[in-house]
Amino acid sequence: MTINISHIDVRDAEPLVLEVMRSGLLTQGKYVEALELGFARTCKTEHVVAVNNGTTALIVALEATDPENGDEVIIPPFTFVATLNAALAAGYTVRFADVDDDFLLDINHTEDQITNRTKSLVPVHLYGQCVDLNALERLQQRSGLRVVEDAAQSHGALSHGRAAGSLDIGCFSLYATKNLTAGEGGLVSTNDAKTAERLRIVRNQGMRNKYEYLMIGNNYRLSDLHAALAIPQLSRIDEVIEKRQKNAGLLRAGLEDTDGIQLPSEKPGHRHVWHQFTVVLAEGVNRELFIERMKTRGVGCGIYYPRLVHDYDCFKSHPRVVVTETPNAKRLSERCVSIPVHQHLSVNDVEQVIEAFQFSIK
Ligand SMILES: *Cc1c(COP(=O)(O)O)cnc(C)c1O
């Protein structure tokens, strides 16, 4: 039996999805609202606005910071392309700050990248670990910048008791493989009532009441069918996180004596939700060969992400993409590999992953 990097099981949503189907009310309605209210408890904010995917969440959140021509946003270059695409779609000029050994935005390097045009930061809580929110808040207070958290991979992650997505504006994805899924979907979190109201209007054609248009909008709505798929997962999100933490603990224990790797860890004062368990291979280890060998032992791996996000022709020539040297991000992109850690792994599965790893790294 192959152990894949992700395993999607939403069968427990059947009754609720059937209920929506039978009601005939398929578009945004009471289930979307229930999802928003339920998720507000997870991300500990007063308002949550559901949209059609995580990329949209980032776009509308960044647009809500009102970028003007030439305004800059700082993002890490070690992220999914959606972070960059959304920043460009919102009208920003993009700069990059390096990441630390936990794969997360380096606050000091970020501060070095601030110019008099910088307006926002997008820290990415990569693999399920939250950037230190206290440090981010101090930077925000020093610099006056807006912070749009890309929390697409980190539902329920904590930093010093504060939830991912609770600092200023937070963005989550409900894509199929994320820890919380609706197949496709996105959530924006904020404590600011005005921002929440604006996002609700923008996602529905700029309309407050029927045919009362207040601003340029779009159709960014989530459907009740998708919301119904995700709702049952809300009640057991802590269970999912605990199972992933347990698996991460077993993987760490089983691999700690393995030469030539750096294991991921949970920072003190933080709750890592282990969307991915990502190992950094030593220089000289052939990553492609390692993955091939893992496959022969029935274990699927992932590379998130094999190149820096701006390292493609379409961005290299882009007038609003300003590239800086980020040596740590470059090193990590060349050597990272993610192995299965998801909640559906049995103890035997985790053992198989560990054995396959030790076989493959030799
Ligand atoms: C998944 C993801 C997104 C985008 O979410 P979609 O729902 O796929 O649009 C953005 N940023 C990061 C870091 C992601 O992992």
Side-chain angles (χ1 to χ4, degrees):
M1 263 270 288
T2 307
I3 301 171
N4 292 317
I5 189 78
S6 62
H7 178 107
I8 299 152
D9 184 348
V10 291
R11 284 172 296 180
D12 65 353
E14 247 184 67
L16 213 59
V17 171
L18 276 175
E19 208 177 295
V20 178
M21 286 172 68
R22 287 176 182 140
S23 77
L25 304 171
L26 308 182
T27 60
Q28 184 187 299
K30 67 178 181 181
Y31 293 91
V32 167
E33 198 180 334
L35 177 65
E36 292 174 338
L37 291 172
F39 193 71
R41 282 194 294 278
T42 301
C43 64
K44 304 188 187 190
T45 63
E46 272 171 55
H47 312 278
V48 169
V49 181
V51 291
N52 56 351
N53 60 61
T55 309
T56 299
L58 285 164
I59 293 172
V60 294
L62 283 162
E63 282 174 350
T65 64
D66 293 317
E68 284 162 24
N69 214 350
D71 280 350
E72 297 175 2
V73 63
I74 300 171
I75 73 171
F78 192 55
T79 184
F80 183 50
V81 70
T83 319
L84 175 55
N85 278 332
L88 292 171
Y92 271 108
T93 293
V94 184
R95 285 184 188 270
F96 301 90
D98 210 351
V99 296
D100 58 22
D101 288 341
D102 289 312
F103 314 102
L104 304 176
L105 199 62
D106 178 326
I107 300 285
N108 292 326
H109 194 246
T110 301
E111 198 153 12
D112 292 343
Q113 303 310 310
I114 295 175
T115 72
N116 57 4
R117 293 310 304 266
T118 310
K119 187 159 202 188
S120 300
L121 304 177
V122 182
V124 179
H125 305 322
L126 201 68
Y127 305 144
Q129 176 133 266
C130 198
V131 176
D132 190 316
L133 291 184
N134 288 352
L136 262 181
E137 188 179 54
R138 286 193 296 271
L139 174 59
Q140 188 181 29
Q141 283 163 353
R142 284 199 296 277
S143 61
L145 301 182
R146 298 297 302 271
V147 177
V148 173
E149 294 171 59
D150 183 341
Q153 304 185 359
S154 57
H155 321 73
L158 299 175
S159 171
H160 310 292
R162 310 167 69 168
S166 66
L167 188 62
D168 185 352
I169 311 180
C171 302
F172 297 83
S173 167
L174 302 175
Y175 179 67
T177 57
K178 301 284 155 84
N179 286 15
L180 177 70
T181 180
E184 296 274 11
L187 299 165
V188 185
S189 55
T190 180
N191 283 313
D192 184 50
K194 278 213 179 79
T195 300
E197 171 70 1
R198 171 169 166 180
L199 296 179
R200 289 181 199 287
I201 292 169
V202 165
R203 86 171 154 188
N204 192 25
Q205 308 286 7
M207 190 163 82
R208 186 161 51 201
N209 299 306
K210 202 166 187 185
Y211 304 134
E212 184 202 352
Y213 306 116
L214 302 180
M215 55 185 88
I216 296 171
N218 208 313
N219 175 356
Y220 292 137
R221 295 184 304 265
L222 187 69
S223 80
D224 259 19
L225 271 176
H226 287 92
L229 206 64
I231 286 168
Q233 295 162 52
L234 276 180
S235 55
R236 52 185 175 79
I237 190 161
D238 285 322
E239 238 173 84
V240 168
I241 292 169
E242 278 157 30
K243 188 70 202 296
R244 284 175 177 263
Q245 285 174 328
K246 187 174 155 235
N247 289 343
L250 292 172
L251 287 171
R252 279 185 54 87
L255 296 173
E256 67 182 352
D257 295 329
T258 312
D259 288 336
I261 57 168
Q262 179 202 307
L263 290 171
S265 63
E266 186 175 63
K267 295 181 292 177
H270 287 71
R271 182 205 210 190
H272 195 321
V273 299
W274 299 100
H275 175 60
Q276 296 295 348
F277 187 97
T278 303
V279 173
V280 184
L281 301 174
E283 200 175 355
V285 175
N286 184 327
R287 181 165 63 177
E288 302 314 315
L289 191 64
F290 171 81
I291 293 172
E292 263 321 298
R293 286 164 72 91
M294 289 289 277
K295 208 166 157 189
T296 65
R297 291 289 166 121
V299 179
C301 297
I303 302 180
Y304 313 108
Y305 298 89
R307 280 158 75 174
L308 296 183
V309 72
H310 52 64
D311 186 23
Y312 296 85
D313 286 342
C314 55
F315 297 124
K316 277 180 188 159
S317 55
H318 198 291
R320 288 192 284 121
V321 175
V322 186
V323 174
T324 336
E325 290 286 300
T326 54
N328 213 32
K330 180 132 176 54
R331 179 182 67 89
L332 295 172
S333 69
E334 286 163 359
R335 301 197 202 153
C336 67
V337 62
S338 302
I339 59 176
V341 71
H342 58 76
Q343 69 269 26
H344 302 291
L345 298 176
S346 65
V347 173
N348 283 342
D349 291 337
V350 178
E351 264 166 31
Q352 186 181 331
V353 174
I354 293 167
E355 278 166 22
F357 194 104
Q358 281 160 348
F359 163 80
S360 307
I361 197 79
K362 287 206 178 90

